Amino acid sequence: MSNMIEKSIEIEAPRSTVWSALTDHEKFGAWFGARIDGPFVVGEVSTGVITVCEAAGWKATIKAMEDPAYFAYTWHPYAIDPDYDYSGEPETLVEFWLEEKGASTVVKVRETGFDNLPLHRIADALRSNTNGWEFQLGNIKKYAEN
């Protein structure tokens, strides 16, 4: 079983526009489908609500923001059951790289650490987030190109 999800997309927008869409908490929330409580700050926990699934909270620890090319956070993947306590589980690492390609920007996302999750959660988390990252890259593309 894979321990990683990797996806990429080319966005017809300057890297600065894509960077802002990725690292400004309000813009991130707009395309991701979340209401995030405050700005992303390296080393701090970001909280909020995932609006497409109101029962799911947004909670991520911001690990890196290296303008304009690298953004990373950790979180509990597929943490959608409001009656389940995910706090004792390891988190996965989500990393974004932005590369200029002419007037466009290539966004690469990689999520790792699934093999550290409890066995009963690995398959669902991998399946959900594999589909989810495909969907979310489409969302950021639409957001940044408009």
Side-chain angles (χ1 to χ4, degrees):
M1 182 176 295
S2 176
N3 176 42
M4 159 181 2
I5 298 168
E6 287 186 307
K7 303 277 181 186
S8 66
I9 195 164
E10 186 170 336
I11 298 175
E12 294 178 25
R15 184 162 60 170
S16 60
T17 299
V18 179
W19 177 257
S20 180
L22 188 60
T23 60
D24 177 290
H25 74 288
E26 291 176 340
K27 292 176 182 178
F28 182 97
W31 64 264
F32 192 87
R35 215 173 24 257
I36 299 172
D37 297 329
F40 294 144
V41 178
V42 175
E44 293 188 10
V45 175
S46 171
T47 59
V49 175
I50 297 177
T51 56
V52 293
C53 180
E54 288 289 334
W58 164 266
K59 185 176 179 186
T61 302
I62 307 305
K63 296 296 186 179
M65 291 176 65
E66 299 170 9
D67 186 1
Y70 179 72
F71 177 57
Y73 60 83
T74 57
W75 70 345
H76 294 288
Y78 193 58
I80 62 165
D81 183 348
D83 298 323
Y84 184 87
D85 181 9
Y86 299 94
S87 64
E89 292 184 0
E91 296 178 317
T92 56
L93 174 64
V94 178
E95 299 172 283
F96 294 90
W97 290 270
L98 280 61
E99 298 175 14
E100 289 180 323
K101 183 178 178 185
S104 297
T105 304
V106 175
V107 177
K108 296 178 183 178
V109 62
R110 176 171 51 199
E111 185 171 5
T112 57
F114 291 95
D115 58 341
N116 296 322
L117 298 176
L119 288 178
H120 70 279
R121 291 221 328 108
I122 294 174
D124 287 341
L126 268 168
R127 181 179 55 256
S128 173
N129 286 21
T130 297
N131 295 333
W133 285 122
E134 189 78 27
F135 180 76
Q136 293 296 13
L137 287 178
N139 284 347
I140 193 173
K141 178 178 175 69
K142 287 177 204 165
Y143 184 89
E145 288 180 352
N146 289 326

